[in-house]
Amino acid sequence: MSSTTSADVSEGPDRILRPRPRKSVHTQLSHISNLSEANGALDPNTNGHATATTSGRSTPVPPDAPQSVKALSSARKQVRAEQRRRLFPTIEFASRVSHFDPNSDYRDFHGFFNLFWIGLAIMAVTTMLRNVKDTGYPMRVQIWSLFTVKLWHLAIADFLMVASTAVALPLQKLFRDAPAGSSLTWARGGTAIMSIYQVLWLALWIAVPFLFGWTWTAQVFLILHTMVMLMKMHSYAFYNGHLSEAEKRLRDLDDPSTASRAPAYLYPTPENPMGTVATSPRSANGSAQQHQLLEKDHHHESSEESDELAQLREVLARELTSPIGNITYPSNLTWWNYLDFLCCPTLCYEIEYPRTENIDWQNLLSKIAATFGCIFLLTIISEEFILPALTDASLRLNDTVAPPSPSEILLILSETISWLLFPFMLTFLLVFLVIFEYVLGAFAEITHFADRHFYSDWWNSTDWMEFSREWNVPVYSFLRRHVYSASRPYIGKGNATVITFLISAVGHEIVMGCITKKLRGYGFVCQMMQLPLVVLQRTRWVRGRKTFNNVCFWCSMILGLSLICSLYVLV
């Protein structure tokens, strides 16, 4: 009687359980495995008797058998072992980690992203049902009505604000055409002219909403768009100004006797953090040998001088050519190029950008729909959770009949901050999505902009320096290129870092001042406090504790948003 070796069995006429035939795992040995039983014997024929060539059992392999015979026998045993199953289903256990384990390679949490949207949809539906019950209308209209106040004023002002940045293009042509040594070149007077224009331009468009008495929603839109256009105009002007000077140096090298032979300077970058003098591999490899030849022969001195000029020309010509290699300065000084840069989702100007071939219309439409969906949810959160808490706290703090004591004021502020923690956390996440995923993604799709790296995994940040690098990649790239790298050669690394944070803090304070019509400095102080916190988190007692530092980051982020809002509105 044959022994049963599988959970898949059939019951024959003699009531004996027999294994069902199963296809072999290895196709190379399928013929052998299909003829073998679990105990190593060949299958009997259909009538249950052994064939004339076998006794019904596998023949043992003698010790002195050829290696080929032993290999075939081993292969048959391996195939039978792989096919063997137990009567009762078994569970396969192995050494594995969970998906949330820090050592796991699993990174797909798209389902939680869908759950986030489902939760927000549930919140919106529940809120509208409660409003229908209380007021008879699905939504409150206090904030919604602000969107339409002086809408045409906002549209015209925004158009004029964007159009006024185009002064940078004719100015760049003027600076380029100015003869070397003139006060209108970029190196002499161009930088000052452009800087003064930017300061006056920013002051004008910050004052416009106050002069016309706009609502805070219109002010938020215009001031944020103004900041974006300021950075774009600055990047366009200063990069093209740098290129105009590089072109003048390249032209001057046509007459080496009067041209400057100072080496080109490479500004600090993430790959080149110290900043160095540009050199070519051929001159670096043969510098020692050329120095010895200079002492021996004047002919070699002339040869080295020619190599030095050729190297400098090569560096300057490469600087005037786009990284992709299709456009060379000054052919980029056109209106179409400037308009394209204004529409591209980047703050750092380049002569040429990588592009996609086609527009993904489904992706574009989904991002446009998601943008309005986020604005809808942001309005509901503000109407239902943020505005009522602030209004109630303001009434209690300004009570003229029974003014609150200092302890009661502190209690009211603490209670208001606690009520705003969760709404502001949702607001923060929705603002991140609507700006960096949907608005920038939609403009990238429209302009065929191929680089969609607008953020990194900032949610895993362990300190504020890491967060500033990964939360807003366009602004970080701008500050590093036009503030940190531009100032570090003159004031050093530490001071350049402080200046970068200072400018960022001033920009945030201007935004908060325009929104609340108050200059209190709370946002400025909180942002500058990030520097000592970074120093503390990088000490040997705290450094390396990723979970602890990430928890501290999230707690400070959520608490900071509610605290700053409460202070600006109520104090």
Side-chain angles (χ1 to χ4, degrees):
M1 180 176 64
S2 175
S3 60
T4 304
T5 59
S6 173
D8 297 329
V9 294
S10 60
E11 186 174 352
D14 51 357
R15 299 291 180 179
I16 298 177
L17 295 175
R18 293 185 175 88
R20 293 177 179 173
R22 191 180 299 110
K23 185 177 180 181
S24 174
V25 176
H26 300 285
T27 57
Q28 297 91 336
L29 303 174
S30 60
H31 180 68
I32 298 176
S33 60
N34 286 336
L35 297 176
S36 62
E37 288 183 328
N39 60 359
L42 296 178
D43 283 339
N45 58 11
T46 54
N47 56 14
H49 299 287
T51 64
T53 58
T54 179
S55 61
R57 296 180 180 273
S58 60
T59 304
V61 178
D64 57 349
Q67 293 297 327
S68 59
V69 176
K70 292 182 179 180
L72 287 172
S73 177
S74 176
R76 285 196 298 269
K77 292 179 181 179
Q78 182 179 358
V79 171
R80 290 194 296 267
E82 290 177 355
Q83 290 187 343
R84 187 176 296 119
R85 295 183 181 177
R86 297 178 181 272
L87 291 176
F88 197 81
T90 58
I91 305 298
E92 179 184 356
F93 289 96
S95 178
R96 291 173 286 193
V97 297
S98 66
H99 282 353
F100 286 120
D101 193 281
N103 298 319
S104 174
D105 293 330
Y106 191 82
R107 296 293 184 270
D108 185 8
F109 296 103
H110 186 71
F112 281 101
F113 180 77
N114 296 332
L115 178 62
F116 172 77
W117 282 108
I118 292 173
L120 290 179
I122 293 174
M123 180 203 70
V125 172
T126 304
T127 301
M128 287 189 290
L129 291 176
R130 185 178 68 249
N131 286 337
V132 169
K133 175 185 175 183
D134 296 340
T135 65
Y137 299 95
M139 289 183 297
R140 305 178 189 270
V141 296
Q142 186 172 354
I143 294 181
W144 289 103
S145 60
L146 299 178
F147 291 153
T148 58
V149 176
K150 298 182 179 179
L151 185 60
W152 283 107
H153 292 188
L154 174 61
I156 295 173
D158 188 66
F159 173 79
L160 294 176
M161 181 270 295
V162 174
S164 59
T165 64
V167 174
L169 177 56
L171 285 178
Q172 286 303 312
K173 292 184 177 181
L174 176 65
F175 301 148
R176 176 182 175 268
D177 295 335
S182 170
S183 60
L184 289 179
T185 60
W186 176 256
R188 290 180 175 268
T191 305
I193 293 173
M194 198 67 214
S195 299
I196 293 173
Y197 177 77
Q198 288 179 170
V199 171
L200 297 177
W201 180 89
L202 178 62
L204 170 65
W205 294 111
I206 287 178
V208 164
F210 292 95
L211 295 176
F212 290 96
W214 288 358
T215 61
W216 68 268
T217 53
Q219 280 191 310
V220 168
F221 176 82
L222 186 67
I223 189 60
L224 291 179
H225 201 190
T226 299
M227 288 295 183
V228 170
M229 290 297 107
L230 174 66
M231 288 185 281
K232 280 181 172 285
M233 179 171 55
H234 180 90
S235 182
Y236 181 87
F238 277 73
Y239 185 61
N240 279 296
H242 161 74
L243 294 180
S244 68
E245 292 300 315
E247 185 192 29
K248 284 182 171 61
R249 286 203 62 189
L250 182 61
R251 289 179 177 177
D252 291 342
L253 290 176
D254 293 337
D255 185 6
S257 60
T258 59
S260 172
R261 301 184 184 182
Y265 178 76
L266 295 177
Y267 286 88
T269 62
E271 297 77 17
N272 176 36
M274 300 303 296
T276 57
V277 174
T279 58
S280 63
R282 60 186 180 185
S283 62
N285 294 335
S287 58
Q289 298 177 1
Q290 289 179 1
H291 181 70
Q292 295 175 359
L293 294 175
L294 283 173
E295 298 176 352
K296 295 181 180 180
D297 197 336
H298 178 72
H299 173 71
H300 293 284
E301 181 178 357
S302 301
S303 177
E304 183 186 2
E305 183 178 352
S306 299
D307 289 343
E308 181 182 352
L309 290 174
Q311 173 200 339
L312 186 56
R313 288 192 185 97
E314 179 183 351
V315 171
L316 294 174
R318 184 181 295 273
E319 187 72 7
L320 296 172
T321 305
S322 68
I324 301 177
N326 296 327
I327 303 178
T328 301
Y329 180 88
S331 60
N332 63 302
L333 296 180
T334 62
W335 289 109
W336 173 251
N337 180 270
Y338 184 76
L339 178 61
D340 175 72
F341 169 61
L342 292 184
C343 296
C344 285
T346 179
L347 300 176
C348 292
Y349 177 78
E350 287 289 345
I351 299 177
E352 188 179 10
Y353 298 104
R355 306 285 182 163
T356 58
E357 294 183 0
N358 301 309
I359 295 179
D360 187 347
W361 291 102
Q362 181 179 359
N363 187 29
L364 175 60
L365 294 176
S366 65
K367 290 185 181 300
I368 294 175
T371 299
F372 287 99
C374 285
I375 295 174
F376 173 77
L377 290 173
L378 283 169
T379 306
I380 289 181
I381 293 173
S382 301
E383 286 270 17
E384 300 295 333
F385 303 102
I386 296 178
L387 193 59
L390 293 175
T391 302
D392 179 69
S394 180
L395 292 175
R396 293 165 63 186
L397 290 173
N398 298 320
D399 190 355
T400 57
V401 178
S405 63
S407 59
E408 291 176 338
I409 293 176
L410 183 61
L411 180 61
I412 292 172
L413 287 175
S414 301
E415 183 183 12
T416 304
I417 292 172
S418 66
W419 277 107
L420 294 177
L421 289 176
F422 190 72
F424 264 104
M425 183 186 69
L426 290 179
T427 301
F428 170 73
L429 295 176
L430 286 173
V431 168
F432 159 73
L433 282 174
V434 74
I435 295 177
F436 299 106
E437 182 64 24
Y438 300 132
V439 173
L440 295 185
F443 275 95
E445 205 67 60
I446 294 172
T447 58
H448 297 265
F449 195 80
D451 189 355
R452 314 291 171 90
H453 181 61
F454 306 125
Y455 58 90
S456 297
D457 56 337
W458 57 267
W459 43 87
N460 294 325
S461 298
T462 55
D463 59 53
W464 286 99
M465 193 70 74
E466 183 180 358
F467 171 75
S468 65
R469 291 194 305 266
E470 299 179 349
W471 140 261
N472 190 340
V473 172
V475 170
Y476 167 75
S477 300
F478 174 86
L479 292 175
R480 183 173 186 93
R481 181 191 199 183
H482 295 285
V483 180
Y484 177 82
S485 297
S487 59
R488 178 173 173 170
Y490 306 100
I491 61 177
K493 177 181 178 180
N495 292 331
T497 302
V498 174
I499 290 296
T500 304
F501 266 84
L502 184 65
I503 292 178
S504 177
V506 170
H508 283 80
E509 183 63 28
I510 291 175
V511 173
M512 292 302 301
C514 292
I515 294 175
T516 61
K517 297 181 174 62
K518 297 178 182 179
L519 286 177
R520 297 289 188 268
Y522 304 131
F524 177 84
V525 172
C526 289
Q527 185 151 357
M528 294 305 295
M529 284 294 295
Q530 294 176 9
L531 287 175
L533 286 177
V534 170
V535 174
L536 176 63
Q537 288 182 307
R538 293 186 175 181
T539 58
R540 59 188 180 91
W541 297 282
V542 183
R543 184 177 63 249
R545 301 182 180 181
K546 293 184 177 181
T547 301
F548 173 77
N549 287 330
N550 183 249
V551 171
C552 291
F553 158 75
W554 272 113
C555 291
S556 60
M557 170 65 74
I558 298 172
L559 180 62
L561 292 173
S562 302
L563 175 64
I564 291 174
C565 177
S566 300
L567 291 177
Y568 270 106
V569 175
L570 302 177
V571 180

